[in-house]
Amino acid sequence: QVTLKESGPGILQPSQTLSLTCTFSGFSLSTYGMGVGWIRQPSGKGLEWLANIWWDDDKYYNPSLKNRLTISKDTSNNQAFLKITNVDTADTATYYCARIGGFDYWGQGVMVTVSS
Amino acid sequence: DIVLTQAPLSVSVTPGESASISCRSSKSLLSSKGITSLYWYLQKPGKSPQLLIYRMSNLASGVPDRFSGSGSETDFTLKISKVETEDVGVYYCAQFLEYPLTFGSGTKLEIK
């Protein structure tokens, strides 16, 4: 059974760094072909893909966020991470992680608010 | 970036009737391996998105066969036959052909 769960700070201030964790089970990021992606959704709006990380540590980022994103993984603990630097109010959203393979499994999402 | 344009913005359907949602891509989604990388998701109210259709026409595990996907290289359709009340939510198409991955803006399905 595949499950994913996101965790994050809930609220942070502009210019801070957002750190998100995706803890998953039912698959391994050391297995050929596996990967995890991050997607976000501002309240009442659509989905925006942020980044993917693959079993071989290949990484892909949405260029619209320029160099603010860093994705990483801890294979031993079945976790994936996303950092977003220099956040502002536009980064307020629900953040999801999902298993790559067409994003066939999603976490429940974690709400992040950027506010001074 | 590949732009996906969904239509209509919203659709209201009587239970038991069918509904179709369109997704048009700014570029062919047919890969050199012969795979069309178009996916459909449903986000029910207050829930995470769930995969319905992968690679244009393949039903995801556990998805009722009332859902079907079809299309060409740039024009795609999600059809829901015999709509049920549990089908309400926002439907998104997405492309996985190339980075950055992109989603359509969504189509809201409501029940009359």
Side-chain angles (χ1 to χ4, degrees), chain B residues 6-8 11 19-23 40 76-80 91 107:
Chain B
Q6 287 187 233
V11 60
S20 290
I21 298 170
S22 167
C23 176
W40 288 99
F76 308 96
T77 300
L78 174 72
K79 183 176 179 180
I80 314 163
Y91 290 79
T107 295

Side-chain angles (χ1 to χ4, degrees), chain A residues 41 49 52 54 60 96 102 107, chain B residues 39 41 43 48-49 92 96 99:
Chain A
Q41 183 175 41
W49 171 76
N52 281 1
W54 292 89
Y60 296 88
Y96 298 99
Chain B
Y39 292 67
Y41 301 86
Q43 186 172 30
S48 304
Y92 295 95
F96 283 69
Y99 291 105

Side-chain angles (χ1 to χ4, degrees), chain B residues 2-13:
Chain B
I2 295 177
V3 177
L4 299 178
T5 304
Q6 287 187 233
L9 237 57
S10 66
V11 60
S12 185
V13 186

Side-chain angles (χ1 to χ4, degrees), chain B residues 43-64:
Chain B
Q43 186 172 30
K44 296 183 178 181
K47 301 294 186 182
S48 304
Q50 61 182 93
L51 178 65
L52 296 175
I53 301 288
Y54 63 96
R55 296 180 179 178
M56 188 176 72
S57 59
N58 296 278
L59 203 61
S61 176
V63 176

